Structures are given as structure tokens and as C-alpha cells.
Amino acid sequence: MKRTGKIRRFLALAAAAALALTACGPKAAAATMHLRRAEGAVAVADGAGRQVEPREALGLYSGYQVDTQSESYAWIDLDEVKLTKMDQNSGIQIQKEGKRLEILVNSGSLFFNVTQPLAEDEAMEIRTSSMVVGIRGTCGWVEAEDARRMSVYLLEGEVECTAGGQTVTVSAGEMVELTPEPAEPLTVRPFTAAQVKPFVQEEAEPKLLEELPEEEAREPFELPAPQDGTIALDGEVIYQDIVVPDGQELVLTNTEVYGDIYAADGGIGLTGSTVNGNVLSQSGGIGLTNSSVNGSIQNQTGGIGLTNSTVNGSISNSSGGIGLTNSDVTGDIQNQSGGVGVISSTINGHIEAGSPDNIEIHQSTVNGQWYE
């Protein structure tokens, strides 16, 4: 009987201590994160890699990973005043130690909205393996092309971004592209309402979006003189549209374009390059190798070929073939007159052609369906 009494007294003291900690210590919510809501195909894994069934208000802990598939989204909150939303085709991992929270963005895009500034002893960072964005009280989003390139867009407040041994401050209405390469300077510049991604538009306060400037007409980039009918650019960073003169070929190597590319009568070739806009051609082929287009590709007459490349929009062609190898397309592929061939690629949208017989798909996924 004496042993039982000791156990009861111990349990009573433990319960009293727990109540005291709850009443006098920090709120329990300060140490927890939750999957507030999931839409579509969302996967959650714990720190050991075991799958966890997603559900509303699911507790998330250090080491947990969350991934979204096409047309799928996930909302995560901390303390109910720190909200993040994952875009489709995105993956993150959570690391938390005490009052320090890190969200490692492995791929895709992440919206964040911290409605109350963090306390002096709190820290919240969004990062890749080599780049860091320090968050205190602000609203915006990040886009991670891969582990070596992340863009930060800010709608409210300020953030401090560190990459490649450099640190810059980004304010509301500004963006910066981060890279770990120390020789590449970090350039902060304004962005427009047209650059706000749809999943951000659904979450951000309308007044923040209204304060952004509309897309303004820009003078096209002044291209160098052609050599034997070809205009070649290597290692450039261009913040303007590119208009290719009639009859000329444009070849970009290791070049970044923050605008659209237009060609009326001539081909466009990209190698190791990124276009943060659309690629449009009326007559001439369009070829991508180890490149990405963060917009759509449209062609009237001529072929479109992708190898080890990504298009975060749609591809359309009126006359000519479309071929993809080891490539990803977020939107639809449409071809009015010509074949579509897909090998070892992923198409998140649909494929349409003048005739179903003109479509060949091998070792690829189209609209969530695997084709052998």
C-alpha cells in the first residue's frame, strides 16, 4: 500500500508541474507546426522517411518532409501567425531546434506570410543547401529552380538574403536571384504584378498586389551584329525582351533572359540558358538543351525540340514536329499539324495533336499517367 501511495503522490506532483509549465511557460503552439490544409496529392514523411497520412492540423516536427504533385498545394503554419503555402510540384524539409526554424526548399515555390514580427530570440529561415533568406515579419515567396539557384520576391517588409559570401537586403516590391557562385553579384531589382505566381495571388492581401507596378513596355535588348547569319550570346544576363531580326538565327549559351524572345523569321537555340518569359517564333525552329523557359513556347512554322530541359508553361505549334527527351513541361502540349514525340519526360498537362496517331510516348508520364 505504501508503494501505491508513493506512485499516486508522484503522479499528482507530475501533473501539477505540467500545469505550472503550461501556465507560466511559453505557449505550446510555439513549439509545434501543423499541416493546416492539403489539396490534391500531398505526401508527408517523418524524420525517418516513413510516410505519414496527411490530415488537417497534422503535427509536423523537425526532419519532416512535405511534397506536392501537379495541381496540389499544402498550407503549413507555426503559432498561427506564420503561414507558408507550397505551390504545386514543390518539396520542403523542416528543421527546428528550440526557437530556430528552418524550411529547406528542395524544389518548387513557397509562399510565406509572417503577420507578427519574430521576437529577438526567434529565428526563421528559408534556405537551400547554400543560400539563406532570413524572415522576421514579412510577406513574399521564393522559387527554387534547383539547389544552386533561388529567387526571392517580397510583397511586404524586408528580408536579408545571403549567398556566395554576399548579403543583400530586399524590400517590398523587389526581388533577387540567389546563386552560391561568389563571382556572380547579387542584384536587387523591382518586379511587376505580372510576375506574381497564381498560387501567391490566392493568398496575398489584394492591397499588396495593387501596389506593384504593371508590366511596362521595354525597349528590346540591342543585339550584337550577326556572324554568318547567326547572333550568338554567351554568359549574358539580359533584363529586356529580345527581338530577333528577320532571317537571323539566335543562339544563347549560358545566358539568362528576364523578358520574352521574339523571332519572326529565324530559329532560336538555347544551351545552358534560362528565359524568365516566353519564347515566340513565327517561322523557324526552337531548340532547348539543358535549358529552362519559365513561360510558354509558341511556334507557327518549324519544329520544337527539348533535351534535358524544362518549360514551366505550355508548348504550342501550328506546323512542325515537337520532340522531348528527358524534359519536363508544366502545361499542355498542342500541335495542330505535326507529330509529338516524348521520351523519358514528364508532362503535367495534356498532349493534343491533329490526330492521335501523331503522338508517340515512351517511358514518360503525361497528366499523371505512365506510358511504357
Side-chain angles (χ1 to χ4, degrees), residues 37-61:
R37 183 159 68 94
E39 180 180 305
V42 176
V44 180
D46 63 16
R50 295 183 294 263
Q51 294 298 308
V52 179
E53 185 67 26
R55 66 176 186 276
E56 187 174 329
L58 172 68
L60 302 176
Y61 306 95

Side-chain angles (χ1 to χ4, degrees), residues 224-244:
Q227 300 292 327
D228 297 325
T230 299
I231 300 172
L233 296 173
D234 191 347
E236 298 281 349
V237 180
I238 300 170
Y239 298 104
Q240 296 164 271
D241 294 336
I242 294 178
V243 178
V244 184

Side-chain angles (χ1 to χ4, degrees), residues 16 19 38 48 69 79 91 178 255 260 294 302 306 353:
L19 286 172
Q69 301 300 313
D79 295 352
L178 305 178
T255 292
D260 297 329
N294 292 317
L306 275 66

Side-chain angles (χ1 to χ4, degrees), residues 107-165:
S107 61
S109 302
L110 180 74
F111 169 78
F112 55 86
N113 186 18
V114 181
T115 58
Q116 292 183 16
L118 274 65
E120 290 297 326
D121 60 346
E122 288 184 298
M124 178 178 175
E125 295 178 346
I126 298 175
R127 63 184 305 151
T128 66
S129 58
S130 55
M131 294 163 279
V132 181
V133 181
I135 308 295
R136 301 210 65 81
T138 186
C139 177
W141 78 98
V142 301
E143 300 175 6
E145 181 178 330
D146 50 44
R148 300 185 61 80
R149 195 168 295 276
M150 179 168 66
S151 297
V152 183
Y153 297 80
L154 209 59
L155 295 170
E156 186 178 34
E158 289 185 346
V159 295
E160 192 173 82
C161 305
T162 302

Side-chain angles (χ1 to χ4, degrees), residues 104-320:
L104 180 65
V105 182
N106 296 319
S107 61
S109 302
L110 180 74
F111 169 78
F112 55 86
N113 186 18
V114 181
T115 58
Q116 292 183 16
L118 274 65
E120 290 297 326
D121 60 346
E122 288 184 298
M124 178 178 175
E125 295 178 346
I126 298 175
R127 63 184 305 151
T128 66
S129 58
S130 55
M131 294 163 279
V132 181
V133 181
I135 308 295
R136 301 210 65 81
T138 186
C139 177
W141 78 98
V142 301
E143 300 175 6
E145 181 178 330
D146 50 44
R148 300 185 61 80
R149 195 168 295 276
M150 179 168 66
S151 297
V152 183
Y153 297 80
L154 209 59
L155 295 170
E156 186 178 34
E158 289 185 346
V159 295
E160 192 173 82
C161 305
T162 302
Q166 306 173 68
T167 298
V168 295
T169 299
V170 181
S171 301
E174 296 178 336
M175 64 84 62
V176 66
E177 184 173 310
L178 305 178
T179 173
E181 301 299 332
E184 191 169 332
L186 301 181
T187 303
V188 178
R189 62 181 184 276
F191 66 94
T192 66
Q195 293 174 265
V196 181
K197 301 191 74 171
F199 90 109
V200 174
Q201 296 175 10
E202 295 172 355
E203 302 297 326
E205 294 185 24
K207 67 175 184 179
L208 297 179
L209 302 178
E210 292 168 0
E211 294 172 356
L212 295 173
E214 296 295 330
E215 189 73 48
E216 297 180 359
R218 296 175 292 183
E219 289 294 326
F221 178 74
E222 186 174 346
L223 292 167
Q227 300 292 327
D228 297 325
T230 299
I231 300 172
L233 296 173
D234 191 347
E236 298 281 349
V237 180
I238 300 170
Y239 298 104
Q240 296 164 271
D241 294 336
I242 294 178
V243 178
V244 184
D246 289 352
Q248 306 295 329
E249 303 285 332
L250 176 68
V251 177
L252 304 183
T253 304
N254 300 322
T255 292
E256 295 181 48
V257 179
Y258 293 88
D260 297 329
I261 299 179
Y262 303 89
D265 180 20
I268 300 172
L270 309 178
T271 300
S273 298
T274 300
V275 178
N276 294 292
N278 303 304
V279 178
L280 313 169
S281 176
Q282 292 185 12
S283 176
I286 299 175
L288 276 67
T289 301
N290 299 319
S291 297
S292 62
V293 173
N294 292 317
S296 297
I297 295 178
Q298 298 178 22
N299 197 14
Q300 292 293 323
T301 303
I304 299 175
L306 275 66
T307 302
N308 300 321
S309 296
T310 300
V311 175
N312 291 314
S314 60
I315 296 177
S316 62
N317 200 14
S318 296
S319 177

Side-chain angles (χ1 to χ4, degrees), residues 14-37:
L19 286 172
L21 287 172
T22 303
C24 302
K27 294 189 299 182
T32 60
M33 291 162 283
H34 294 91
L35 178 67
R36 185 56 54 195
R37 183 159 68 94

